[in-house]
Amino acid sequence: MVTPSQIPSTNQSIAGGDTAPRTQKRLGEILVESGWVKETDIIEALVEAKQTGQYLGAVLIRREKLTKEQLGKALAKQFNIQYVSLANLEADQVLIKLLPEEFMRENQVFPIAKEGGRLVVAMVDPRNRRIYDEITFITGMRPQVVVTTSIEFQEAFSKIVQQRTSTNILEGISEVATQTQETKEDQLRQQQISEMFDTSNPLVKLVNSIIEEGIEKNASDIHIEARDKTCLIRFRIDGILQSIIEIPPNMESSFITRIKVMARMDIAEHRRPQDGRIGLTYKGTEYNLRVNTLPVGEGKEKVVIRILRPSKNISDFADLGFTTTDIKKIETLYKSPYGIVLVCGPTGSGKTTTLYTILHKINDEYRNISTVEDPIELRIEGLNQSQVNHKAEFTFASALRALLRQDPDVIMVGEIRDFETLESAIHASLTGHLVFSTIHANTTAATVTRLTEMGADPNMIGSALLGVIAQRLARTLCSECKEGYEASEEEKAIIFPTNPEKQKQPLTLYKGVGCFNCNNSGYRGRVGLYEVMMMDRKIRQLISGHKLDLEIEDAAVEGGMKTLNTSGVEVLVNGKTSFDELVRVLGANLGKTM
C-alpha cells in the first residue's frame, strides 16, 4: 500500500482541491529545454503519436529516447503538480475498489492512498475537472491529484486491477472444489443436481462470473473443453480463441450440468448433441446465449456458448468498414424492387451482421419484411422473424414457400444450403420479391460457380441475381500500443506482387506491441474487408455462357469492383491492421492488389 509519507512533499498546489492544474508549456518544449530529448526526436515522435493515437511521452519511451522517470518529472513541471511512479506500487485493493474498473480505464486514474479526508489519485491527464467531481460523487472524498505516465498507468492497471476477475474465478473454483471433496461419492450426484438450481451456490456464481467476463471482454463465444487433466475455458475474441482459465477435472461435470440447467437441456443426456438458449440481463442489457453441447468421448462433453448481443448494436455501413463507393452500390441493391442479393464468406465473417444492417436500413411501416433464420440471432422490432424447426419439418425451403403466402415485400433467408432453398429463393425473386441471403463461398465470382454446382440454371441466376457481397473480418491494431516499422522486401513483394515500382518504394507498416487495453494481444476490435460485385450486361452474358469464375471476376474488376485483396491492402497501408493479420485472413498469395 502507498502511504501519504511515500508521496514527495512539495509546496506546489495539488489539484482536485482548491486549484486546477495549470499547463505552463508544451511537453515537447519542457523535454527539449531539460536536455533529455532533441527537437528532431520530438518532431518524429509527434508524427507517430498522431498516426497511432498514443501519447507523445509513450512514443518517446518506446523509441528509447526518454525514461519513465524523466517523463514523469517533465509532466510534473508541465502540470505544476507532483509526479508519482507506479512502477513498484503495492496497491491497496480496498482503495482500488472505491472506483469502478471502467471509470479508471476510461479516465486513466488510479487511487493510491488516503490523506486526511482526501483520496490521492494518480492521473495521466489531470486537466479535466469533470473527473474530479465524478470521483467525489463516487467515493464521497475530494481527490488529491498527482500525475503519472501513461505507460506506468497501463502496467499498474493491467497487473493489479485486471486480476480481480481471475481472483474471483479462482476463489470460486477453490470453494467449489472444497465442497466437492467434502461430499461423499454416493451423495454427490443427487446433491449436485439440487445445487444447480441454487443461485447462492459457489458453482452457480462461478458459471455466472465466467459468462459475465465473456460479455465484458466482448467475446463472441465461450468454449468449455474437456482435456486429459483439466477443463479449459477459452474465449473467442475478435475471431481468435484465447485461453482464460482452467477448471479442475473434478468440477467439470458439475460445471457443465449448471450450464445445461440454465439452457433447459436434459442434464442426464451425454451421448447426443444438444442445443439450448439462455436469456441473461447484465448491467441493464439483455443478452441471448446460444448453447451447444457435443460428446467428445469417455463420457465427456464440449460446450460452446455463443453470445448474441442486442439489436441496438447494429452499426451503419461506414462503421462496418464499407467505403463510400461500396455503400452506394449496396444502396442500389437494397432499393431494387425485386431480385436476389447474396452475402458470402466463411463462418464468422460477419455475413449476418451485414444483412441485419441492410434490413435495418429498409425497415419501415410501408414494407412487410419477413425472415427465416436458424437461429434468430437478433430480434429487430418491425421484422417478422421465423425460426427453422427441423423436427416440425419447417425448413428454409418450406418456410420460404409459406412466406410467399404472407404478402411479403422483402424476404431474408438465413442461408442457402441446398437446391430446394435456392430454387424457392429464385422463384420468390422472379415473382416480384426482394430476397436477401447468405451462402458459403470465397469470393463474389465463386458464388456464381457455387450456385450452378447446386443445380441452378445459369440463365435463371443471371436473371434473378442483383449482386454479391463477399467479406472477411480482420483484427484491428490497438491504437494504444501499435507502432510503425519499415516493411521488408519480402513483405512488399507479397503486398504488391504485380507492381515492381511500389516494391522499390519505402513503406511503413504497423504492428501491435500489446498492452492492458488489448489484453496484450496487440489487437482490439475488427474491421471488414469487402468486395461488392454488381451484375451488369457483360457479367450476365458470362454467367449464361458457363464461363469460369476467374473470367467473371476480371469482368467485375473492369467494371469497377474492388477485390477483397485490394480492400485488405488498403486497410494494411492505412495502419488499421498488421501484415501478419492480413496474411492470416486472406492468405500469403494476395494476388491482384494495389
Side-chain angles (χ1 to χ4, degrees):
M1 174 180 176
V2 175
T3 63
S5 62
Q6 291 175 282
I7 301 175
S9 60
T10 179
N11 294 323
Q12 296 171 327
S13 61
I14 297 179
D18 302 320
T19 59
R22 297 168 295 169
T23 302
Q24 303 293 331
K25 291 183 178 180
R26 293 179 182 273
L27 178 61
E29 294 177 29
I30 297 172
L31 293 172
V32 173
E33 288 177 0
S34 301
W36 291 325
V37 181
K38 296 178 181 178
E39 190 171 348
T40 53
D41 294 328
I42 296 291
I43 294 172
E44 292 175 0
L46 281 171
V47 173
E48 182 176 335
K50 186 176 181 180
Q51 291 174 336
T52 62
Q54 298 178 62
Y55 285 103
L56 170 64
V59 174
L60 288 169
I61 290 174
R62 287 202 177 96
R63 289 183 168 213
E64 298 183 349
K65 303 294 184 181
L66 192 69
T67 67
K68 296 175 186 176
E69 185 179 0
Q70 289 170 336
L71 175 59
K73 290 179 179 179
L75 290 171
K77 187 178 295 185
Q78 181 188 26
F79 296 120
N80 195 35
I81 59 175
Q82 298 168 221
Y83 157 67
V84 172
S85 173
L86 302 182
N88 299 312
L89 176 68
E90 291 184 20
D92 185 343
Q93 288 293 337
V94 174
L95 288 178
I96 293 175
K97 289 178 181 178
L98 290 175
L99 294 175
E101 182 175 326
E102 195 61 30
F103 177 83
M104 287 189 282
R105 182 200 300 271
E106 289 181 359
N107 299 296
Q108 294 190 295
V109 55
F110 203 97
I112 59 175
K114 281 185 180 179
E115 190 174 69
R118 292 188 176 182
L119 180 66
V120 182
V121 294
M123 293 180 64
V124 174
D125 187 354
R127 289 171 292 189
N128 192 340
R129 287 298 298 266
R130 175 188 59 81
I131 298 175
Y132 308 156
D133 295 334
E134 291 185 8
I135 292 173
T136 302
F137 178 78
I138 294 170
T139 66
M141 292 180 284
R142 291 294 291 168
Q144 179 174 320
V145 178
V146 295
V147 70
T148 192
T149 67
S150 62
I151 290 180
E152 287 177 301
F153 170 80
Q154 292 172 7
E155 292 171 349
F157 188 91
S158 179
K159 181 175 64 176
I160 298 171
V161 179
Q162 287 200 327
Q163 71 184 12
R164 286 179 180 173
T165 302
S166 297
T167 300
N168 292 338
I169 291 175
L170 288 172
E171 288 175 353
I173 290 175
S174 176
E175 189 173 354
V176 174
T178 300
Q179 288 193 357
T180 303
Q181 291 169 1
E182 293 174 350
T183 305
K184 294 180 180 179
E185 291 184 7
D186 57 344
Q187 298 174 341
L188 177 60
R189 182 60 181 169
Q190 188 61 39
Q191 182 173 332
Q192 283 180 337
I193 292 174
S194 63
E195 288 175 347
M196 294 306 102
F197 297 89
D198 182 5
T199 55
S200 65
N201 185 287
L203 179 65
V204 173
K205 294 180 180 178
L206 173 62
V207 173
N208 290 344
S209 67
I210 289 176
I211 292 174
E212 290 168 0
E213 177 70 359
I215 293 173
E216 285 284 352
K217 290 186 178 294
N218 203 33
S220 60
D221 302 87
I222 300 174
H223 289 239
I224 298 99
E225 303 174 345
R227 301 294 172 91
D228 289 340
K229 297 181 180 180
T230 187
C231 180
L232 181 64
I233 308 295
R234 297 199 289 174
F235 291 170
R236 187 176 293 279
I237 301 174
D238 293 335
I240 301 295
L241 281 171
Q242 299 179 14
S243 297
I244 301 300
I245 202 163
E246 293 183 354
I247 294 176
N250 64 329
M251 290 174 50
E252 177 190 330
S253 176
S254 300
F255 192 89
I256 292 176
T257 299
R258 170 56 189 167
I259 294 174
K260 286 184 174 181
V261 168
M262 295 174 70
R264 299 184 179 183
M265 295 178 172
D266 184 354
I267 61 176
E269 179 58 70
H270 307 286
R271 299 169 297 175
R272 295 182 304 165
Q274 294 189 68
D275 291 298
R277 288 183 177 275
I278 300 172
L280 176 69
T281 300
Y282 180 65
K283 290 186 176 181
T285 302
E286 294 184 1
Y287 295 88
N288 184 16
L289 311 181
R290 195 174 76 209
V291 184
N292 176 265
T293 65
L294 179 71
V296 291
E298 300 180 359
K300 297 187 176 186
E301 294 175 282
K302 180 181 185 296
V303 180
V304 175
I305 303 173
R306 169 63 59 87
I307 302 175
L308 303 175
R309 285 165 169 80
S311 59
K312 69 180 182 180
N313 287 336
I314 292 178
S315 304
D316 205 344
F317 293 114
D319 296 329
L320 296 178
F322 285 99
T323 63
T324 303
T325 302
D326 286 342
I327 291 174
K328 289 180 179 179
K329 291 180 181 179
I330 294 172
E331 287 177 348
T332 300
L333 294 175
Y334 67 67
K335 288 180 180 179
S336 301
Y338 54 83
I340 296 179
V341 177
L342 295 177
V343 182
C344 71
T347 301
S349 59
K351 301 186 296 295
T352 303
T353 300
T354 298
L355 285 182
Y356 277 136
T357 304
I358 292 174
L359 295 181
H360 184 69
K361 278 287 184 183
I362 62 177
N363 185 15
D364 57 42
E365 59 180 311
Y366 306 109
R367 290 186 178 91
N368 175 16
I369 304 176
S370 297
T371 75
V372 52
E373 306 171 57
D374 185 23
I376 299 173
E377 295 196 10
L378 293 176
R379 285 287 182 183
I380 301 178
E381 186 69 26
L383 270 57
N384 304 295
Q385 297 174 268
S386 300
Q387 166 73 52
V388 166
N389 188 335
H390 294 285
K391 291 182 179 179
E393 297 184 352
F394 188 66
T395 63
F396 280 122
S398 63
L400 259 174
R401 291 192 294 270
L403 285 180
L404 290 176
R405 297 190 288 272
Q406 288 283 314
D407 186 32
D409 297 297
V410 179
I411 298 172
M412 192 272 272
V413 185
E415 183 182 350
I416 293 178
R417 300 175 179 173
D418 50 46
F419 173 70
E420 188 179 10
T421 306
L422 175 59
E423 186 180 41
S424 299
I426 291 176
H427 173 70
S429 68
L430 293 177
T431 53
H433 304 89
L434 183 58
V435 180
F436 296 95
S437 189
T438 70
I439 190 168
H440 284 288
N442 290 328
T443 64
T444 53
T447 299
V448 176
T449 304
R450 174 85 174 115
L451 295 176
T452 56
E453 287 175 349
M454 292 174 70
D457 184 339
N459 291 318
M460 297 290 281
I461 296 172
S463 300
L465 194 61
L466 295 173
V468 185
I469 303 169
Q471 62 183 74
R472 302 288 191 276
L473 290 177
R475 289 182 294 168
T476 308
L477 285 168
C478 174
S479 60
E480 297 295 327
C481 67
K482 73 176 183 180
E483 61 179 27
Y485 70 95
E486 183 64 29
S488 67
E489 298 299 323
E490 293 77 11
E491 288 172 330
K492 287 188 285 187
I494 292 174
I495 296 169
F496 308 115
T498 59
N499 195 329
E501 287 301 316
K502 283 197 173 184
Q503 292 181 28
K504 297 176 182 177
Q505 298 173 6
L507 174 65
T508 299
L509 299 180
Y510 293 85
K511 62 183 178 181
V513 177
C515 65
F516 79 98
N517 288 298
C518 58
N519 293 318
N520 293 314
S521 68
Y523 300 93
R524 192 178 184 189
R526 289 190 286 182
V527 62
L529 311 178
Y530 303 96
E531 66 178 37
V532 183
M533 182 176 75
M534 305 290 289
M535 301 297 289
D536 58 24
R537 185 182 184 87
K538 183 174 183 179
I539 293 176
R540 294 184 194 278
Q541 288 176 340
L542 292 172
I543 294 173
S544 298
H546 300 264
K547 299 299 182 180
L548 298 175
D549 54 359
L550 291 177
E551 296 180 68
I552 295 173
E553 182 177 294
D554 288 341
V557 171
E558 289 175 8
M561 183 185 80
K562 180 173 64 178
T563 66
L564 280 170
N565 293 334
T566 301
S567 176
V569 170
E570 287 181 355
V571 169
L572 173 67
V573 172
N574 290 335
K576 293 182 180 179
T577 193
S578 69
F579 176 81
D580 290 341
E581 177 66 4
L582 189 65
V583 170
R584 184 187 72 83
V585 173
L586 297 178
N589 184 16
L590 296 180
K592 291 182 180 178
T593 56
M594 299 175 66

